[in-house]
Amino acid sequence: KWFKRIKDDENSFYWIIEYDGMPIGLINLVNWDRRNNLIHTGLYIAVNEKRSMTLLMDLMSNLNDYVFYKLGVNKVTKEIMDINKNLILINDRFGFKEEGVMRQVVLKHGEYHDLHIFGMLRSEWDQLRSGMEYEKIDFE
């Protein structure tokens, strides 16, 4: 049911991340608000030994290109749980702006966690990417 629902959803996109022919994670774009020209993203790499800063930056850069230049979106947002401190720092250094914190909105293993809300505008990505080098990845 979940696969059918996401397949038929014109406002969401899901990709399996493959590395050396092996599926290692998931990247998505969801809740595309066409009226206000914004979309929400998520990224999860499940195979620890394949995680690297280079891979993460390549994925995030290519996803931003897809969002801003292929879809023509003006803003991309993401939520990061408070226990993922490294990812919070990485997104901040990558140019995403922290726009707020939703306190105790996720219950995981009996404990409540905060969600940090990040956003990036197309104009910010235009400026940031001009000084970046990253491997081009096709989203199919």
Side-chain angles (χ1 to χ4, degrees):
K1 288 180 183 180
W2 180 78
F3 282 112
K4 176 160 180 25
R5 184 176 45 100
I6 67 169
K7 183 180 176 225
D8 295 340
D9 184 353
E10 295 177 358
N11 296 312
S12 298
F13 308 85
Y14 291 81
W15 295 275
I16 301 294
I17 301 167
E18 288 188 4
Y19 190 89
D20 290 335
M22 181 175 113
I24 64 165
L26 174 76
I27 196 165
N28 64 19
L29 297 169
V30 296
N31 302 327
W32 185 5
D33 179 345
R34 295 169 194 253
R35 181 175 182 270
N36 294 303
N37 217 11
L38 63 98
I39 201 163
H40 187 80
T41 186
L43 168 65
Y44 179 69
I45 300 175
V47 181
N48 288 338
E49 59 270 14
K50 298 298 183 184
R51 290 180 184 166
S52 73
M53 186 62 73
T54 301
L55 176 61
L56 185 60
M57 294 311 214
D58 286 348
L59 288 168
M60 289 171 56
S61 297
N62 282 279
L63 187 64
N64 283 350
D65 283 348
Y66 187 88
V67 164
F68 294 124
Y69 306 131
K70 181 158 180 138
L71 299 181
V73 169
N74 182 60
K75 183 175 183 176
V76 62
T77 63
K78 59 177 68 178
E79 299 170 351
I80 303 171
M81 201 164 21
D82 60 2
I83 57 176
N84 204 337
K85 295 182 187 328
N86 287 338
L87 195 53
I88 290 170
L89 289 172
I90 289 166
N91 276 276
D92 184 56
R93 291 186 182 141
F94 187 69
F96 279 85
K97 308 288 188 233
E98 186 166 3
E99 298 182 343
V101 177
M102 293 182 3
R103 299 177 304 135
Q104 296 188 3
V105 296
V106 176
L107 179 60
K108 185 172 183 176
H109 305 298
E111 187 175 337
Y112 287 99
H113 294 276
D114 299 344
L115 283 179
H116 293 253
I117 313 302
F118 284 86
M120 181 181 284
L121 304 175
R122 179 180 175 154
S123 59
E124 293 167 338
W125 179 240
D126 288 342
Q127 188 174 37
L128 184 63
R129 83 184 285 265
S130 65
M132 294 180 67
E133 291 184 26
Y134 52 93
E135 183 178 340
K136 299 295 182 193
I137 301 170
D138 290 326
F139 285 85
E140 302 173 12

